[in-house]
Amino acid sequence: MEDRSWTEINLNNFEFNLQELKSFIPENTSLMQIVKADAYGHGALEISKIALKMGATLLGVANAEEGSLLRYQGISAPILILSPSLVSEIPAIIENDLLCTISDLVFAEALNREAIKKKKVVAVHIKIDTGMHRSGFALKDTEKIFDAISFMEGLSINGIFSHFAASESDPEFTMKQASDFVNALMSLPKRPEYVHIANSAAVLSYNIPYMNLVRLGLMSYGIYPSPSYKEKIELKPVMQFKTKISLIKYVRKGESVGYNRIFVAKSDIKVAILPVGYADGYDFQLSNRGYALIKTVLCPIIGKISMDMTAVDISRIYQISVGEEAVLLGGDEEELHAESLASLYDGNSYELLCQIGRRAKRY
Ligand SMILES: *Cc1c(COP(=O)(O)O)cnc(C)c1O
């Protein structure tokens, strides 16, 4: 059977983006490729392989399951679990030799006990909260926590890190987070192998002293955190989401298309039905707003997106038949970049990438 929709992952573009980003990474600074959520929907295994080939030394995932899968697939590089882990994930963390983020002492003690029992030493990164107020230990406790974990025989401190809350939008707050973090680190008896705070957006805008690792996600996938970054760097979108026209029909002036009749034809139009809907991850909010690129023409999405079908106005295309390819995301067309689509509904390009192609194979 033919695919009704699919994603194409352009690994050359991913390499291009990483190469561009590397010119912003200070000397003697290591690179962690963030591949959580299946590499933002791009396929964690292939992306990891290329990132490692391009010089990344660590990978970042969201949880023990994602890390374990990469191990099972043969990845031997260090893998850091970025989110707080659950006690029930400890066996997988130890068995698959995953680096674990520590944000609370009760969990650290549980991990320590299990490591000692299994005669292993688990490498950990301590997370410090400098203003995101999500995970991490309170900034003021940095020294105390570092000491407490240093004394745990089953754990070794491989890194310490924090996370910016608004590196793409609030320079003042970002600088405050950075300087608070650096000051806290100065109080420590020794510096762990890795100290890190910067995500993609921060790598381009800030050179933070003392740090020796950056964590790259969004921009490596060719997405700009905000339009102002376009002046600083050239990026190419890595993911395309495609489908094929499954039906062509004609709608007369005054007739409506789709649920609740939110689109009414202002003239006689030709309509293509695409076999993709919100169940495929094509966001419902793109109803009456998104576009499909068909035969080099940007065709507007009309009416509400259904679970499994979407209608587009193809009146501007003279010669067309069922089976013609339609691009819904990515490629050269600016309007189809994740940032542009997300901005049509006050959405988020990270979310759009992660949700796209739930039923689609990845090529
Ligand atoms: C997801 C994530 C990143 C990557 O952020 P981007 O903005 O995608 O570069 C970095 N650090 C942590 C802790 C993350 O969870």
Side-chain angles (χ1 to χ4, degrees):
M1 273 187 281
E2 280 178 61
D3 291 319
R4 294 167 74 82
S5 67
W6 65 98
T7 59
E8 291 176 11
I9 307 301
N10 188 325
L11 296 173
N12 291 333
N13 285 1
F14 176 69
E15 271 196 55
F16 174 88
N17 297 334
L18 261 195
Q19 199 60 49
E20 294 294 301
L21 285 160
K22 275 168 85 173
S23 65
F24 289 86
I25 302 176
E27 249 179 85
N28 301 319
T29 300
S30 301
L31 165 61
M32 179 190 294
Q33 177 65 40
I34 304 297
V35 294
K36 64 192 183 206
D38 203 19
Y40 298 29
H42 293 70
L45 178 61
E46 294 301 324
I47 292 290
S48 296
K49 280 189 199 162
I50 290 187
L52 293 168
K53 185 189 86 184
M54 301 270 298
T57 45
L58 295 97
L59 303 169
V61 298
N63 55 48
E65 189 174 7
E66 290 182 356
S68 303
L69 180 59
L70 284 173
R71 282 280 178 267
Y72 176 74
Q73 292 170 323
I75 298 290
S76 58
I79 300 174
L80 176 65
I81 300 169
L82 299 161
S83 312
S85 293
L86 306 173
V87 169
S88 62
E89 292 170 318
I90 288 176
I93 290 167
I94 297 178
E95 185 170 334
N96 293 298
D97 192 19
L98 304 173
L99 294 165
C100 191
T101 290
I102 302 292
S103 285
D104 85 277
L105 281 181
V106 173
F107 176 82
E109 278 154 10
L111 184 61
N112 182 43
R113 270 197 306 277
E114 196 62 22
I116 291 170
K117 207 162 91 189
K118 296 215 166 109
K119 298 193 167 56
K120 293 263 176 76
V121 176
V122 177
V124 299
H125 284 220
I126 298 172
K127 177 83 183 280
I128 302 298
D129 179 8
T130 53
M132 177 85 168
H133 300 311
R134 195 175 57 178
S135 56
F137 292 100
L139 181 69
K140 65 172 175 45
D141 297 332
T142 303
E143 197 180 349
K144 197 174 78 190
I145 295 300
F146 189 90
D147 284 345
I149 295 174
S150 300
F151 278 112
M152 296 184 187
E153 281 166 44
L155 307 186
S156 74
I157 301 174
N158 178 248
I160 185 163
F161 74 108
S162 191
H163 192 48
F164 288 130
S167 61
E168 75 284 19
S169 58
D170 190 337
E172 204 178 317
F173 192 77
T174 302
M175 287 313 293
K176 173 91 167 63
Q177 279 191 273
S179 63
D180 284 352
F181 186 48
V182 172
N183 288 337
L185 295 176
M186 292 306 160
S187 68
L188 300 182
K190 70 187 260 258
R191 169 167 127 158
E193 185 172 353
Y194 293 114
V195 280
H196 47 116
I197 190 166
N199 66 339
S200 297
V203 167
L204 261 75
S205 306
Y206 306 94
N207 193 350
I208 302 141
Y210 206 66
M211 302 297 125
N212 63 8
L213 174 71
V214 295
R215 308 186 300 262
L216 289 186
L218 190 72
M219 294 179 82
S220 67
Y221 302 113
I223 310 297
Y224 294 98
S226 80
S228 64
Y229 285 81
K230 287 184 188 172
E231 291 154 25
K232 298 185 185 179
I233 188 170
E234 187 193 351
L235 298 172
K236 297 178 178 173
V238 176
M239 183 194 290
Q240 277 190 294
F241 182 44
K242 293 184 177 179
T243 183
K244 278 178 191 167
I245 294 175
S246 59
L247 190 71
I248 292 174
K249 63 200 295 140
Y250 297 85
V251 172
R252 287 204 178 280
K253 180 179 174 180
E255 290 178 338
S256 62
V257 176
Y259 283 120
N260 308 122
R261 312 185 63 221
I262 66 165
F263 174 87
V264 177
K266 292 194 182 74
S267 56
D268 293 355
I269 56 171
K270 183 161 61 171
V271 174
I273 303 301
L274 305 177
V276 158
Y278 55 79
D280 300 273
Y282 192 66
D283 204 286
F284 179 71
Q285 299 294 330
L286 289 165
S287 296
N288 253 348
R289 290 187 179 129
Y291 304 92
L293 184 71
I294 302 169
K295 284 190 141 187
T296 74
V297 179
L298 263 185
C299 305
I301 304 290
I302 57 174
K304 279 195 179 172
I305 289 160
S306 302
M307 190 180 290
D308 317 296
M309 285 183 260
T310 296
V312 285
D313 182 345
I314 52 165
S315 306
R316 286 168 57 210
I317 308 174
Y318 183 62
Q319 239 186 2
I320 184 151
S321 45
V322 164
E324 189 68 53
E325 191 172 295
V327 183
L328 289 167
L329 169 90
D332 296 334
E333 216 70 36
E334 181 93 29
E335 284 89 342
L336 293 182
H337 290 183
E339 307 90 311
S340 310
L341 289 177
S343 74
L344 294 175
Y345 60 96
D346 200 20
N348 174 296
S349 49
Y350 293 83
E351 183 193 34
L352 194 54
L353 292 180
C354 294
Q355 75 186 27
I356 279 290
R358 286 188 193 125
R359 288 165 168 162
K361 265 196 218 147
R362 207 180 286 115
Y363 291 99

